[in-house]
Amino acid sequence: MMKKVGGVILFCLLLLCIQLAAGNGISRPGKPTLTRCRSPEKETFTCWWEPGPEFGLKTTYALYYRKENSEIVYECPDYKTAGVNSCFFSKNDTSIWVNYNITVVATNEYGKTSSDPVDIDVVYIVMPNPPENVTASVMADKDLPFLRVSWEPPKKADTRSGWITLIYEVRIKMENEDNWEEHLAGQQRIFNIFSLRSGGKYHIQVRCKPDHGFWSEWSPSVDVTVPEYLTREKSMWILFVVFLPFVIFIITWLMYLNIHSLKYCLLPPVPGPKIKGFDKHLLKNGKSGDIFSTLMVSDFPPTTSSYENFLEEYLEVYVPEERELIMEGGKDPQDDSLKSENSTCDNDSGRGSCDSHTLLIDKGGGDKEDELQSDQEGGQAETDAKTHEEDLEYENVHSPDISNEKVKSWPSLCSPLPQYSLCLVNQPNPPEMRKHCLSDSMSTPDSLPTYFIQPGSGAKNDFRSNYWESNFNHKPSHPLHTQTTAHEHLLAQSDISTACIDRTGAPSGVHAPSVRPNEYVEVQRVSDENMVLLHPVSSGQENSFTVRRQTEDYSRVRTLNNGNGLLLLQREAVEQETDMCPNEEEAEGRATSTGNTAPVTPASQKSMAGISNALPILDERAASGYVDTATMFGLSTY
Amino acid sequence: GSMKAASICSSDQAGCHFLSLANLFDRVIQHSARMHGISNDLHSEFELYFLPSKNQIGRVNRNCHTSTILTPNGKEYAQRIAREELTEVILKLLVAWRDPLWHFHQNMAQQLTFSHFSSNKSLEMSDMVHELQKGVQKVAEKMQTLGIISNSLGNLGSPKALLASDGAEWRLMNDYDLLYCFRRDSNKIQNYLKILKCRTVPEHGC
């Protein structure tokens, strides 16, 4: 046992001695390692090694290499050119596509140590020098500058002969940024960079690489400053900001101008749920008797003035009956005659009807009554007020002043086109009557065009499509004539109007059919003798009439000229209610009178032509109007 | 695709001819670059999966079957030899690799150890050698027509004359060595073509 312990101690001492000796360099050098070999141009190459621990002893290094398929060992030809611990292979010593087996040996006085061998093929260790002559210049392109970077391949790399093919990469960053923006440039030697910041300062670098090899180092940085410029966006913004106040001002001003119409459009007044005289508290208290007693308003039906406070919109209700009554009372002789004429024209929107109270009575309510009822449901008091108002308005219409009140049964923006109907001619006082009627139409500048069956009116067919002229009065003395011209002027502006035609009574002609109330007459044919043959259309039910009205061409003959003019008003069949203004009484009245009605028979051939021209137009306009002509045959009698 | 020599211009001007020759060269060079790329990929794959032992003695003494063909291994040499010689060297190399690559592909297709991807690549490689040889022949013909090179290349039309000398040395090589050798040879071909182009039509992109 003692021996063993002694042996161990001795062994340890020996180890210690060896280590001490090593520290003092009593051994071979440490193993060196080849770090890398590089060729800058595929013609020469250099290898560097890392020496191992030298232990303080003088150590020399030698590099040996063997070429492929050869046992000859060569030593490095040049230890100096490439610096310390390097070996430089010149062109003569370099063979491409040949495998080199390289070893570095460290030698000191105690021995040699060899590194691990390394196999290289020069083709795959090419790392060129950085590109040279890198320049960056600012180019202007329609106010949007860009950078043009150009460079040259490293001098040593022979690209001209095709020996090396290099590809390049450009990178750019702003002065204060950290991230580079890299762009692959391929084999080209110029690169453009866009999207620069105005006034920015940039750093640019370029590097290159052979098709199979390593990337070179980045070239030294090139600094460039982009000049200030105004981008299109910026200038656009400036323009925008400058003009925005103007635009806002104009819009505000326009809105201000139309504030009222806007208000009506956007915020139509809603009828307040008021029942005049109704007290909610009474209801709470439970005294039913009191509640309903308050509803008994003394001034019912209310007058117009009491309703001025309400902002409700008036509902249009046609109460011809009442109007007729009112008209009957307290009017001048004209009105009296009017009454007898029983042609009341109102300019209710959408209705434009010329109704006679007698007609209404005959209808026994009819559509008008229904309408009246429905309207009344909406607001009883308001309806009445409306009719009152209308009556009042109507009284004022004697002068051919343009009164817009009638027109404005609805707020102007939101109302359908007001339609106007002309009064039909009154027999006894045709001029005045017509004047009256016409003045109605005149009072509305927007009155609908009147249709004139006019002999020789072919030229005038080029007015609006939904209007055709009938020959009117040729006599200049006739007041209607002057007003006709006025009408013609009006026609240009107006859209639709309705005309009521007087129904004639039993015509004296052979073809005279019996005319009943609300009976329509169709133009059957136009005879050679400048006669328009009409035949009555079976009325049937009211509904069928309405239907027919919408589908067939009808136009109302409003006035019958003294001469040979037939004033027709066209109106939209769709919009029409069931108002018709065939006036039975009028027709009969006319039948008795002479020379005033239905001058459809033109005096000349020209008128015939006019009618023939007119009638086709009538046919073309389906559902655009209706001819509600009285039986006009035997016109000569009129 | 085939390396058909499509003439760019219809007229018979001399400049036009050179333009079409330069175009031909570009196409051939592109083709060779692609071929080399594939061989590089396959070689890397092989190294990954079938890393040969570093202790292999014969590693340095690897003998490519094409080592018998004298090829310039430096820029000066490549620029010094005649164009005809350079063209001949290229064609010899291409011809020498046709059969070995075809068999290599056959082996790869049969062995399940290789991925489908690699099998496709080997087929592509094999085809490319074929196409590239035809292309280079066309270039040679064109150059002969233009009088750039003499007509001493006539015998290259028959590849069998070249193959006869080779024998079947390549059959002794293993796959890895085969790939290693072809990788290098494809690089040679590409480089030689580039040098040939810049010696023949230097004004078109050199």
Side-chain angles (χ1 to χ4, degrees):
Chain A
M1 197 172 87
M2 279 294 287
K3 270 189 182 175
K4 277 188 185 174
V5 174
V8 169
I9 293 168
L10 207 64
F11 187 68
C12 290
L13 280 169
L14 204 65
L15 277 170
L16 207 64
C17 286
I18 290 168
Q19 282 188 5
L20 280 169
N24 289 339
I26 313 176
S27 85
R28 302 187 307 174
K31 196 176 184 182
T33 47
L34 275 163
T35 51
R36 66 181 196 145
C37 297
R38 289 287 182 265
S39 167
E41 75 288 81
K42 213 158 85 176
E43 295 168 45
T44 67
F45 71 103
T46 312
C47 282
W48 291 271
W49 66 83
E50 188 71 34
E54 293 180 353
F55 310 121
L57 296 171
K58 188 176 184 304
T59 316
T60 56
Y61 294 91
L63 188 142
Y64 300 101
Y65 67 91
R66 267 190 338 149
K67 281 189 174 180
E68 180 176 325
N69 300 331
S70 166
E71 295 298 327
I72 307 167
V73 178
Y74 301 92
E75 196 186 337
C76 172
D78 189 340
Y79 288 107
K80 303 261 193 273
T81 314
V84 178
N85 295 334
S86 72
C87 177
F88 174 74
F89 293 80
S90 64
K91 278 185 190 177
N92 294 337
D93 302 314
T94 309
S95 305
I96 318 296
W97 299 298
V98 170
N99 210 353
Y100 281 76
N101 188 292
I102 301 174
T103 321
V104 175
V105 174
T107 315
N108 65 6
E109 53 189 358
Y110 294 103
K112 291 181 181 178
T113 314
S114 186
S115 69
D116 291 331
V118 165
D119 282 323
I120 58 158
D121 193 334
V122 179
V123 172
Y124 302 113
I125 58 163
V126 180
M127 179 174 159
N129 294 330
E132 291 166 12
N133 267 358
V134 180
T135 60
S137 49
V138 181
M139 315 278 283
D141 170 37
K142 296 174 193 171
D143 302 329
L144 284 174
F146 65 94
L147 278 178
R148 172 160 286 175
V149 189
S150 68
W151 57 87
E152 282 170 19
K155 282 204 183 70
K156 281 194 192 164
D158 188 354
T159 50
R160 281 210 59 99
S161 65
W163 183 239
I164 297 184
T165 311
L166 293 173
I167 58 172
Y168 302 94
E169 194 178 34
V170 179
R171 73 174 184 180
I172 182 171
K173 76 163 181 160
M174 284 203 73
E175 193 170 21
N176 302 322
E177 279 177 19
D178 290 333
N179 297 326
W180 289 91
E181 192 181 300
E182 292 175 1
H183 304 278
L184 206 62
Q187 290 184 31
Q188 65 199 41
R189 307 213 181 122
I190 294 172
F191 194 75
N192 295 329
I193 300 176
F194 299 91
S195 305
L196 301 167
R197 222 178 282 175
S198 145
K201 223 177 168 190
Y202 290 93
H203 300 301
I204 298 166
Q205 290 180 322
V206 190
R207 68 175 182 179
C208 57
K209 169 175 111 80
D211 28 0
H212 315 285
F214 301 99
W215 279 105
S216 71
E217 297 290 337
W218 287 103
S219 68
S221 180
V222 172
D223 299 339
V224 70
T225 309
V226 180
E228 305 270 352
Y229 65 93
L230 203 61
T231 59
R232 221 169 281 168
E233 255 182 31
K234 234 191 217 177
S235 52
M236 215 175 64
W237 272 110
I238 290 170
L239 273 173
F240 185 70
V241 167
V242 164
F243 282 113
L244 191 63
F246 288 108
V247 171
I248 290 174
F249 174 72
I250 288 169
I251 290 173
T252 314
W253 186 61
L254 283 172
M255 278 178 59
Y256 174 72
L257 285 181
N258 294 330
I259 191 77
H260 291 293
S261 30
L262 268 181
K263 224 197 317 191
Y264 274 120
C265 236
L266 293 173
L267 305 167
V270 179
K274 280 188 194 175
I275 300 177
K276 197 165 190 263
F278 191 74
D279 193 355
K280 279 190 274 187
H281 296 298
L282 285 178
L283 190 66
K284 287 177 190 168
N285 296 338
K287 295 178 184 172
S288 59
D290 294 338
I291 296 164
F292 293 110
S293 65
T294 55
L295 287 175
M296 308 299 282
V297 184
S298 57
D299 58 339
F300 185 82
T303 57
T304 309
S305 59
S306 58
Y307 280 85
E308 282 169 0
N309 300 330
F310 292 87
L311 285 179
E312 296 92 351
E313 199 169 80
Y314 289 122
L315 298 172
E316 215 179 59
V317 173
Y318 176 72
V319 186
E321 216 170 345
E322 291 181 355
R323 191 191 305 130
E324 225 20 64
L325 290 168
I326 291 164
M327 284 180 64
E328 278 173 290
K331 285 200 177 179
D332 42 1
Q334 279 189 357
D335 296 325
D336 290 338
S337 53
L338 225 195
K339 178 181 67 180
S340 62
E341 184 69 11
N342 62 54
S343 64
T344 61
C345 312
D346 69 87
N347 59 344
D348 284 344
S349 60
R351 285 206 286 129
S353 56
C354 306
D355 286 307
S356 69
H357 71 287
T358 52
L359 176 64
L360 284 173
I361 293 167
D362 289 337
K363 281 186 184 177
D367 297 354
K368 283 231 173 47
E369 298 285 349
D370 295 337
E371 191 189 40
L372 186 63
Q373 293 297 330
S374 58
D375 287 338
Q376 282 179 344
E377 285 169 13
Q380 208 173 15
E382 290 92 50
T383 309
D384 293 336
K386 171 67 174 170
T387 53
H388 275 276
E389 193 182 342
E390 275 188 333
D391 301 334
L392 293 170
E393 286 175 337
Y394 206 83
E395 286 168 1
N396 298 331
V397 183
H398 296 302
S399 59
D401 298 326
I402 294 173
S403 64
N404 291 327
E405 293 166 21
K406 266 196 188 259
V407 182
K408 289 208 170 157
S409 55
W410 306 95
S412 59
L413 275 183
C414 304
S415 64
L417 293 169
Q419 298 192 353
Y420 217 104
S421 55
L422 282 180
C423 296
L424 210 47
V425 180
N426 187 16
Q427 305 291 343
N429 280 328
E432 292 89 347
M433 285 302 100
R434 283 186 222 106
K435 181 183 172 187
H436 177 87
C437 295
L438 289 172
S439 66
D440 286 342
S441 65
M442 285 184 70
S443 71
T444 56
D446 298 336
S447 69
L448 308 168
T450 61
Y451 296 92
F452 299 83
I453 301 176
Q454 194 180 41
S457 67
K460 301 211 174 162
N461 287 334
D462 53 0
F463 279 148
R464 298 249 203 107
S465 62
N466 54 352
Y467 128 77
W468 46 280
E469 262 187 306
S470 64
N471 173 44
F472 217 98
N473 197 358
H474 285 310
K475 299 177 190 172
S477 62
H478 204 291
L480 211 51
H481 182 66
T482 56
Q483 286 172 343
T484 308
T485 51
H487 266 288
E488 289 168 11
H489 295 307
L490 284 174
L491 288 176
Q493 313 160 12
S494 51
D495 296 11
I496 302 174
S497 60
T498 58
C500 301
I501 216 178
D502 285 329
R503 283 250 160 167
T504 57
S508 54
V510 177
H511 313 282
S514 58
V515 178
R516 295 183 292 114
N518 292 340
E519 190 164 290
Y520 289 85
V521 178
E522 261 184 33
V523 177
Q524 195 172 17
R525 63 186 176 89
V526 177
S527 68
D528 293 331
E529 306 130 23
N530 299 338
M531 272 176 39
V532 175
L533 299 180
L534 304 166
H535 68 89
V537 170
S538 57
S539 60
Q541 297 171 359
E542 284 301 329
N543 294 333
S544 66
F545 264 110
T546 57
V547 170
R548 184 171 301 152
R549 235 170 280 133
Q550 292 171 356
T551 53
E552 298 178 22
D553 287 350
Y554 290 108
S555 67
R556 277 182 168 177
V557 174
R558 189 66 198 118
T559 57
L560 300 177
N561 200 346
N562 208 4
N564 43 4
L566 189 66
L567 182 63
L568 292 176
L569 296 173
Q570 186 199 22
R571 72 178 190 185
E572 295 292 339
V574 195
E575 290 178 19
Q576 302 308 315
E577 320 84 4
T578 60
D579 292 345
M580 300 286 301
C581 58
N583 292 323
E584 217 38 43
E585 310 294 76
E586 289 178 1
E588 287 175 14
R590 191 161 296 128
T592 55
S593 68
T594 59
N596 256 347
T597 54
V600 178
T601 308
S604 61
Q605 284 290 336
K606 273 174 76 179
S607 60
M608 201 55 225
I611 291 175
S612 60
N613 285 342
L615 292 179
I617 296 171
L618 186 60
D619 292 334
E620 287 161 13
R621 282 171 284 107
S624 57
Y626 63 94
V627 174
D628 178 23
T629 59
T631 54
M632 293 183 200
F633 39 79
L635 296 169
S636 51
T637 59
Y638 295 105
Chain B
S2 63
M3 306 291 289
K4 287 179 190 156
S7 59
I8 297 172
C9 29
S10 53
S11 67
D12 229 13
Q13 302 159 2
C16 194
H17 282 298
F18 279 103
L19 185 62
S20 67
L21 180 63
N23 192 346
L24 258 180
F25 262 117
D26 283 336
R27 284 200 242 173
V28 166
I29 287 166
Q30 259 181 13
H31 218 133
S32 68
R34 172 133 179 86
M35 193 174 72
H36 175 69
I38 296 174
S39 72
N40 208 10
D41 293 342
L42 270 176
H43 179 263
S44 306
E45 259 181 66
F46 253 80
E47 257 187 342
L48 224 53
Y49 297 123
F50 301 93
L51 200 64
S53 70
K54 298 253 168 138
N55 293 334
Q56 207 168 356
I57 294 170
R59 198 151 179 259
V60 183
N61 294 329
R62 182 189 302 111
N63 238 341
C64 296
H65 72 288
T66 52
S67 51
T68 53
I69 305 171
L70 289 172
T71 58
N73 10 354
K75 183 179 93 172
E76 284 74 19
Y77 298 122
Q79 285 184 319
R80 211 180 294 161
I81 68 172
R83 290 195 199 107
E84 293 91 335
E85 234 179 287
L86 197 56
T87 316
E88 200 176 328
V89 162
I90 295 169
L91 282 169
K92 273 186 188 172
L93 283 171
L94 285 167
V95 167
W97 277 106
R98 265 167 44 180
D99 284 341
L101 284 180
W102 170 247
H103 280 88
F104 174 76
H105 163 65
Q106 296 292 326
N107 284 344
M108 276 199 91
Q110 287 167 9
Q111 292 178 30
L112 298 171
T113 43
F114 300 111
S115 65
H116 187 67
F117 186 57
S118 302
S119 175
N120 277 352
K121 278 191 178 168
S122 63
L123 178 64
E124 199 178 348
M125 213 161 62
S126 170
D127 287 341
M128 270 189 180
V129 165
H130 223 94
E131 297 293 332
L132 192 56
Q133 189 224 321
K134 287 190 208 163
V136 175
Q137 254 168 354
K138 285 255 164 59
V139 171
E141 284 164 17
K142 184 96 183 166
M143 285 202 294
Q144 280 172 342
T145 320
L146 290 174
I148 299 171
I149 58 177
S150 64
N151 287 347
S152 62
L153 252 63
N155 59 344
L156 280 177
S158 59
K160 287 190 180 175
L162 297 164
L163 270 176
S165 59
D166 277 350
E169 290 166 352
W170 50 268
R171 292 182 196 273
L172 301 173
M173 293 171 67
N174 57 24
D175 287 337
Y176 179 74
D177 289 343
L178 205 92
L179 280 176
Y180 180 89
C181 289
F182 182 65
R183 178 175 167 234
R184 178 202 284 171
D185 283 346
S186 59
N187 196 329
K188 274 188 189 175
I189 291 165
Q190 183 183 5
N191 220 152
Y192 293 156
L193 281 171
K194 283 181 189 172
I195 288 177
L196 193 60
K197 179 202 172 187
C198 288
R199 277 174 70 177
T200 314
V201 280
E203 58 276 2
H204 295 106
C206 274

